[in-house]
Each structure stands twice: as C-alpha cells, then as structure tokens.
Amino acid sequence: SDDNNLNETNKEKEEDCDECWLRRFLKKGGCKDEFIEVDHCEDSKKCRDARLKLNTCMYANVNYYGQYLAMQKAMFTQSLKDLEKGEEAAAAAAAKNEEEEETKGK
C-alpha cells in the first residue's frame, strides 16, 4: 500500500540523516520517554522541564548514556573556552581603541 511505501521512504530518509543515529541511540536507552517528550516539545517552560527530566534520567542511566554525556560536556567546555577567547579579544580591541583615542587627543 501507499502507506507502507511512505513509511519505508521516511525510514530510509531517517537512516540517511546525520543526526538520526543520535536520535536512535537516545531512544534505545532507558530515557526513551523523556527524549520523546523533549523531541515533541513546543512550549518553552515545558521544554525546560522536559530537558531537565531527560538530563536527570541520563545521569541516572550513565552506563548507557555516559559517552553521550561526556561528548556534551566536552562540547560545552569548548564553547566556554571559545567564548572566553572572544571576550578577551573584545577587551583587547576595546583597550587598543581607547589607547588610540587617547593618543589622538594629545
């Protein structure tokens, strides 16, 4: 039937999707329901609560989700380092501009 063909097409597209392996991984663990709640979430307050439940569940199931959590931590840490570098560069640029302004004023 057409429904079966459509389901097979959607399944093939999902398998080709770069993020789909992660979605499948998250759904296979003990936090499937929490992941689905986050995945279908639209309201910001409810989404925040749903993400908190998912994170709590993943840390409670660290044997399965440990690698994913370590990857998330590494990405978050790198983002913070990049942010700090950007702030340092902005502060240095502001100091240089201030110094140039003072030099022009003399």
Side-chain angles (χ1 to χ4, degrees):
S1 80
D2 289 338
D3 285 341
N4 286 339
N5 291 338
L6 183 59
N7 287 336
E8 287 300 315
T9 302
N10 288 339
K11 191 173 185 178
E12 288 172 13
K13 285 181 184 177
E14 183 176 319
E15 289 172 2
D16 292 337
C17 172
D18 287 340
E19 293 180 9
C20 293
W21 67 269
L22 179 59
R23 295 169 59 81
R24 285 192 302 271
F25 170 79
L26 292 171
K27 284 182 182 180
K28 284 183 184 178
C31 302
K32 177 182 179 178
D33 294 338
E34 289 83 353
F35 174 74
I36 291 172
E37 184 178 348
V38 169
D39 197 39
H40 294 109
C41 188
E42 294 180 12
D43 176 80
S44 62
K45 172 142 176 36
K46 288 181 183 178
C47 290
R48 185 176 57 237
D49 294 343
R51 285 191 303 271
L52 180 60
K53 285 195 306 192
L54 176 60
N55 286 338
T56 301
C57 182
M58 286 193 295
Y59 278 101
N61 292 280
V62 75
N63 288 339
Y64 182 82
Y65 294 102
Q67 273 189 311
Y68 172 76
L69 294 169
M71 180 183 69
Q72 290 291 89
K73 181 180 178 182
M75 289 184 343
F76 182 70
T77 300
Q78 185 59 48
S79 294
L80 286 176
K81 287 179 183 176
D82 293 346
L83 180 61
E84 287 173 355
K85 286 179 186 176
E87 289 173 348
E88 289 170 4
K96 182 178 179 182
N97 287 341
E98 188 176 306
E99 185 179 301
E100 288 174 356
E101 290 297 320
E102 286 179 10
T103 304
K104 287 179 187 178
K106 291 183 180 177

